[in-house]
Amino acid sequence: MQNQGMPKPKVEVQAMYRANQNIDVTVAAEDIHAGDTVLQVPEHLIITLKGVFEDETVAELLTTDKLSELACVTLYMMYEKMNGKKSRWHHYIKELDRQRGRGQMGAKSPLLWDKGQVDSLLAGSPVVNMVKERLKGIEREYQELDTVWFMAGSLFKNYPYDIPTEAFSLTLFTQAFATVQASIVHLQDVPLSKRFALVPLGPPLLSYSSTSKAMLKYDAPSREVRLIADRDYKAGEPVFAWCGPQPNSRLLLNYGIVDEQNPNDKMTITATIPNNDPLFAQKRQLLQHHDMASQQSFQLQRHHDLPPNLLPFLRLGHCSSTEGLRQHGAFSQTSDPLPPEEEAQVLQNLASCLQQRLQRYKTSREEDDDVVADPAAGPRQKVAARLLRIEKSILSGALEKVACLPGGAEAVSSVTASSESSTAARPVFPVRLV
């Protein structure tokens, strides 16, 4: 690429043996110091929607809600691949084909896992439904490809091939979409047409980290994408860039990786006050005063306290009288506990939800540890086990927080005993928690 105007980078591609296979990785070509510019890629060597479209069709196309930016880039790259060596992106496409969307842990996105693997390896995880929803979304976009073909003549006039759904099967489009998704860079402070970019020597060759301070950024004066090192590297060490504030569920779905140091991990818990609650109207009005709804999501995080509004929401939902609402409906983060019997129900409600979420998993945390430590385990098994033990640690940590509250230990013990009993009926609580 240097003969096409790219300054000599301080990084290079090197094959590294990981997860029982060779994986190409962007590494330091020499000793690098924090603050060094290690990569400069001119705009004409970057693939963005601005380069894909030759006119303002991009604005019209994207506002029709027919196709996402990723799908547009994917379709463009599929037709470019059909051009073979005549394509200006031939060498880049060859590298993408070799990587096939594999992350730096050797695993592909779960979008490309074998049939049944998502359900078996990620059993109990919310990621299972995320994968299924993403696949449905990809199929919807695939069904719109022919419409876009006719709408955006400038995009396809150089390709004397069949219309998209005749040229490519849904399986091929899904594979290409996942590969582009694993390679895309989200540039900040740029026009919409440059927001999603494919950058040579960037991901998936470049390792993503949740804690790195380095970012691939577009520099307007020089019209190039740059990466500035945030720390020192020795020659041959993998170079890292920040992947944005994404939880591991999204890192796995998008890039096939799990970062165990990720500070952005969270598990969503959704609480609903049913509309058949006799005090529903009053409770909803109180919630609206605090910019909340009768169905509210809360984020549980590792090494964090319970979400500040979670217990006040549950206490409000458990109030069973107008008198109780007057006394306990102020809804503040420092709201007082309800009378002992109702407060016990609040804590049991939360503990029961957390226990049920943990029971959905088919493996224990010890079994996950064994998979991660097993040198014979495949990369998909390892990333799945890493994700599951993180999710379990979040839920278990929240359960421990409940146990530390006044009356919490008794509530957790009661719920645990009930869940272990084959005859005990599950209690019905005033607030639905999932």
Side-chain angles (χ1 to χ4, degrees):
M1 287 182 290
Q2 291 175 52
N3 59 7
Q4 298 181 58
M6 177 175 167
K8 183 179 179 181
K10 293 187 177 183
V11 294
E12 62 186 7
V13 177
Q14 186 179 106
M16 305 189 82
Y17 192 72
R18 293 178 175 174
N20 301 319
Q21 59 188 311
N22 284 318
I23 300 173
D24 287 345
V25 180
T26 297
V27 302
E30 59 190 68
D31 288 353
I32 290 173
H33 300 289
D36 287 354
T37 300
V38 300
L39 184 62
Q40 297 168 263
V41 185
E43 186 173 336
H44 68 272
L45 295 178
I46 296 165
I47 301 169
T48 64
L49 284 180
K50 182 181 179 183
V52 170
F53 291 87
E54 297 175 2
D55 55 33
E56 295 304 314
T57 309
V58 61
E60 176 187 350
L61 183 65
L62 294 179
T63 54
T64 62
D65 291 327
K66 296 292 184 184
L67 237 62
S68 66
E69 296 101 317
L70 277 181
C72 292
V73 174
T74 298
L75 189 57
Y76 171 74
M77 294 300 284
M78 294 179 80
Y79 277 112
E80 279 293 317
K81 182 179 178 179
M82 292 181 74
N83 278 342
K85 292 183 179 180
K86 293 186 294 182
S87 170
R88 61 180 296 213
W89 307 112
H90 173 65
H91 294 292
Y92 184 58
I93 291 171
K94 277 183 64 177
E95 185 59 41
L96 289 182
D97 274 350
R98 287 200 324 115
Q99 293 294 107
R100 292 194 176 276
R102 286 182 306 173
Q104 293 304 306
M105 292 179 164
K108 298 179 183 179
S109 163
L111 297 173
L112 301 180
W113 289 7
D114 297 338
K115 186 176 181 180
Q117 280 192 322
V118 170
D119 288 319
S120 62
L121 296 179
L122 295 171
S125 171
V127 174
V128 173
N129 284 332
M130 289 173 62
V131 171
K132 293 176 180 178
E133 287 303 311
R134 182 71 62 86
L135 287 172
K136 287 178 185 177
I138 293 172
E139 184 172 3
R140 284 193 296 271
E141 295 203 275
Y142 176 76
Q143 300 300 335
E144 296 292 345
L145 293 182
D146 293 350
T147 302
V148 174
W149 167 280
F150 294 114
M151 288 176 57
S154 66
L155 175 56
F156 305 110
K157 67 182 182 182
N158 296 321
Y159 305 111
Y161 307 117
D162 289 336
I163 60 176
T165 56
E166 293 183 10
F168 314 113
S169 66
L170 172 61
T171 299
L172 278 177
F173 181 71
T174 301
Q175 291 171 347
F177 186 98
T179 299
V180 168
Q181 175 183 265
S183 311
I184 211 78
V185 175
H186 297 251
L187 297 176
Q188 306 296 314
D189 302 319
V190 295
L192 175 67
S193 60
K194 295 181 183 178
R195 184 174 62 174
F196 291 88
L198 293 172
V199 181
L201 294 177
L205 300 172
L206 184 66
S207 299
Y208 267 151
S209 165
S210 301
T211 54
S212 173
K213 304 298 183 186
M215 285 182 66
L216 285 162
K217 293 182 178 180
Y218 181 74
D219 181 71
S222 62
R223 299 183 66 185
E224 61 188 18
V225 170
R226 294 180 174 180
L227 179 66
I228 298 175
D230 65 332
R231 64 177 180 85
D232 295 346
Y233 292 94
K234 294 291 185 184
E237 289 183 341
V239 174
F240 291 89
W242 187 50
C243 54
Q246 302 184 68
N248 272 313
S249 56
R250 292 187 65 84
L251 293 183
L252 179 59
L253 184 61
N254 293 337
Y255 313 113
I257 62 174
V258 172
D259 183 352
E260 296 196 73
Q261 306 305 315
N262 192 343
N264 303 298
D265 265 326
K266 56 191 69 173
M267 295 284 284
T268 301
I269 187 169
T270 302
T272 305
I273 299 175
N275 56 16
N276 61 359
D277 185 321
L279 299 174
F280 178 76
Q282 292 131 291
K283 291 177 180 180
R284 182 174 62 179
Q285 188 175 25
L286 282 167
L287 288 167
Q288 288 173 341
H289 285 317
H290 297 274
D291 298 320
M292 300 183 77
S294 57
Q295 183 176 85
Q296 195 71 35
S297 292
F298 301 91
Q299 304 298 332
L300 305 176
Q301 291 184 272
R302 279 191 293 180
H303 317 306
H304 282 66
D305 291 333
L306 294 172
N309 283 328
L310 176 56
L311 284 175
F313 185 100
L314 292 178
R315 287 171 180 146
L316 179 67
H318 276 257
C319 280
S320 56
S321 67
T322 305
E323 172 89 16
L325 279 182
R326 279 199 296 267
Q327 291 180 5
H328 302 282
F331 198 89
S332 68
Q333 295 179 12
T334 57
S335 65
D336 293 329
L338 298 174
E341 187 174 332
E342 288 182 311
E343 184 70 10
Q345 263 214 329
V346 167
L347 299 179
Q348 287 175 21
N349 193 173
L350 181 52
S352 178
C353 171
L354 296 170
Q355 283 275 26
Q356 289 176 39
R357 292 280 293 268
L358 285 165
Q359 288 169 353
R360 292 177 193 170
Y361 296 101
K362 292 182 179 179
T363 57
S364 66
R365 291 172 69 178
E366 292 73 19
E367 289 171 321
D368 296 335
D369 291 339
D370 290 342
V371 171
V372 172
D374 183 1
R380 296 178 189 181
Q381 285 79 8
K382 284 181 178 288
V383 292
R386 283 190 168 96
L387 179 74
L388 295 187
R389 70 181 183 183
I390 289 170
E391 291 181 351
K392 293 168 192 174
S393 72
I394 293 173
L395 295 171
S396 298
L399 198 57
E400 290 170 7
K401 296 293 184 185
V402 174
C404 290
L405 295 169
E410 293 82 355
V412 172
S413 296
S414 172
V415 167
T416 302
S418 176
S419 66
E420 292 174 351
S421 170
S422 58
T423 58
R426 289 192 182 277
V428 178
F429 298 104
V431 178
R432 289 198 296 267
L433 279 173
V434 292

